[in-house]
Amino acid sequence: MKRFNKFIASTTQISTFSKPIQAPYFRKSFNLKTKDKTVLYIAVAGLYELYFNGNKITKGILAPYISNPDDLIYYDEYDITGFIQEGKNTVAVLLGNGMQNCFGGEIWNFHVAPWVNSPRFSMSILQGEQSILESDESFKVCNSPILLNDLRVGEHVDNRLSVNGWNAVDFDDSSWLNAIIVDSPKGEIKKCNVEPIKIEKELSAISISKVGNGYLYDFGENNAGIIRLKPKSRRGTKIVLSFGEYLKGGTLCRENLLFEQLYIDDFVQKDVYICSGEQDELYESSFTYHGFRYALVEGINKEEATKEFLTYLVCHSDIKTIGTIEFDNEKLNLLQEITVRSDLSNFFYFPTDCPHREKNGWTGDIYLSAEQYMYNFDGYASFRQWLEQLRYCQLENGVVPGIIPADPLKLPVYGPAWDGVIVELPLQMFRFTGEIKYLDENKEAIKKYIKYMADKRKENGLISFGIGDWCPVGKDSASDYDTSLEFICSAYYLKQLRESKLIFSLLGDKEFVQYAESLYEELLSKVKNNYVVDGRVTEQKQTGLALAIKFKLLNEEEEKRAVQDLVSLIESNNSLMTVGVLGARYIFEVLAENNYVDLAYKMIMQDKFPSYGYYLNRGATALWENFYELADDNVNWTRKDGGKLSSLNHHFWGHVSGWLYKYLGGLLINPNYMNHKSVVIAPNVIDSVKKCNVTYSTKFGRCTVNYTVENGKFNLNVDIPAEIECTVVLPNGKQIITNQGSFSCEV
């Protein structure tokens, strides 16, 4: 059977900005007598590229996974039968730093994490039950041309140091050194069961222009991925590639990617390549990736600055698209397009906050985006593995760190609107699939978290810690929100308690249901005593009212009053939103569920700032981290108030896509969370949409919903698998329950 007894490395030294260590080549030749089924297993603390008999067989980019090596080490499995030859065979590995030595992550303390060490791997090859090879000091090792590699920052490569044929069977490695046996990582070794990171498409520049000392490549879209370089320069030519999302004064601006306490401009979001001068020279990034639209290339001349010189390889986890929505309204289609682009740009094994400066699995970001991801993609295997990392990172007292994976002891706590992902994500996964395993696997983590939060109550019985309605529109500070932190935290914890009651009733744990029920009733009473006076919510803010309504904190009369207050508040502000991401996640849903779909649509799509429509008009090709008003210049993105922009590729404002599916498309998947075979079809008709088509793939088959509005008549066509129980709610309020495969009607 497979064994990971020995981990090997080229050195025990770690890389730093001031003293980087070259990425090492490893190789080992061995003999095989037969071509019987042969399987290779490789476990890595770091990242790797794998070759067998000169063939690159790595499953994808940034293999095997990005994890905390003190918690989990992942291995990959390869059937190499088709590559073996009788006689001499050679296995070869190129090893990168990954999370094992992430010196570019200083701001989150990754550079001083307890696991920091040189990258290392363990390998075994089996034919049947017979062990053919195991990693040991007989592996030969040599430096590669990769001088510096960091997941967040970039790569520096001197191709003059490339060793031609280093992974081939007949290569002479007699001058190479032997690998060294090193300590095994502390983490449990498990098979990686998620989709690999693949190249989705290749982009050529839509324009190339001379800017300063370099040439600016504009790829037309803000994506994430790696580069392919095809230089035709003389030997020793140094090419510097700088990446960014926008222009300022006609030049590449990267100030939104810099953290002053960490990044040196000579390193951040830059790749450096020194040419070998060989014919057909080609370079593709190995152990980093970037988020960008623009690349500034320095070190080449006008003749070299061609489209063929630089190609953008757009990458993300190879998760399957299962939902689509399309309108006769092109701006709505564009909004869906840029949301999906942000989703995928930020899915490298798990959802990240941005694909450039951070690349972190922030809990709050996934919390806010979970539902819309499930409308658009089958990412369940990846979500499941990320939740496994979360459980390992969770402290015994129930604390959930704000970033997964990370060192939980070196991170602050971010409060229930972040930590509560431990409840939200498994529940949404169960809702969409009916797989109880997602709840069962996380039940103990949920219990610990719920009890931890109970202990965080103040003397007044309420909760107030962490961060609140993050990134409020138009505000310079991400924390300058206007709804009380105490109200937000307490409301979110109430939501999690209500959801926990559902989860543990499904799991048959009556004792914990009673515990959560008792906490819920007690906390709800405290919230209402402090924040509802004479039947009216005192947090007269868009976020405060939206959360009070959506989280069911009010009785029927109080809720009616809160809806009226919310609508009045919005209309008095010219239908403009004043929320942060926590309010934005629910405010449009609250309006739609209370017959104000037109108002929600206006808030989302109007041309005025702040709105999604405003950014679409300004040419945004991905969702932004913040809503900032821009100066009157459609070429350069600069803030009207002169401040810095932040990330221009974030998915945590992306639930607007879920809103499109649910309230314009009318597709509500298992809305009561109790029957994953049930859907409600309830489109809302608005003046700006005359046609809509929705598709969604379930394990039973594909659901389609399409409607048209012509000459005042509403025409609906529904096609669903026979196993799905469907309730149709027409715009006139008529309800039809059907299990027919196809259904059509006219109103």
Side-chain angles (χ1 to χ4, degrees), residues 377-392:
F377 307 106
D378 178 353
Y380 297 104
S382 293
F383 281 129
R384 189 182 186 190
Q385 196 139 304
W386 184 81
L387 282 167
E388 180 180 49
Q389 292 198 87
L390 184 153
R391 296 193 300 271
Y392 274 82

Side-chain angles (χ1 to χ4, degrees), residues 16-20 103-107 148 150 152-154 156 240-243 254-255 257-272 357:
T16 63
F17 283 116
S18 59
K19 192 175 181 180
F103 52 94
E106 181 177 330
I107 193 170
L148 176 151
D150 180 84
R152 286 174 173 78
V153 172
H156 295 185
V240 179
L241 302 104
S242 304
F243 304 96
R254 294 183 299 127
E255 65 183 16
L257 308 182
L258 304 177
F259 288 105
E260 294 177 3
Q261 60 268 56
L262 166 64
Y263 286 141
I264 303 167
D265 193 46
D266 285 343
F267 290 100
V268 64
Q269 298 304 307
K270 279 191 175 183
D271 289 341
V272 177
R357 69 176 185 219

Side-chain angles (χ1 to χ4, degrees), residues 469-483 541 578-580 609-610 626-629 639 641 644 646:
D469 197 16
W470 200 240
C471 295
V473 297
K475 300 290 183 68
D476 189 52
S477 170
S479 59
D480 188 18
Y481 39 82
D482 58 13
T483 300
K541 306 293 192 299
T578 58
V579 295
F609 174 84
N626 292 80
F627 279 78
Y628 291 132
E629 188 168 11
R639 282 175 55 176
D641 61 12
K644 283 186 179 181
S646 51

Side-chain angles (χ1 to χ4, degrees), residues 544-564:
L545 290 164
L547 297 188
I549 298 164
K550 185 67 181 182
F551 294 174
K552 304 183 187 304
L553 309 186
L554 309 171
N555 64 34
E556 186 176 348
E557 289 303 314
E558 292 166 346
E559 184 173 304
K560 288 180 180 178
R561 179 66 181 272
V563 170
Q564 293 171 358

Side-chain angles (χ1 to χ4, degrees), residues 109-126:
N109 290 309
F110 287 125
H111 69 307
V112 291
W115 63 74
V116 171
N117 218 319
S118 58
R120 52 204 58 199
F121 74 93
S122 182
M123 179 186 293
S124 62
I125 298 178
L126 281 74

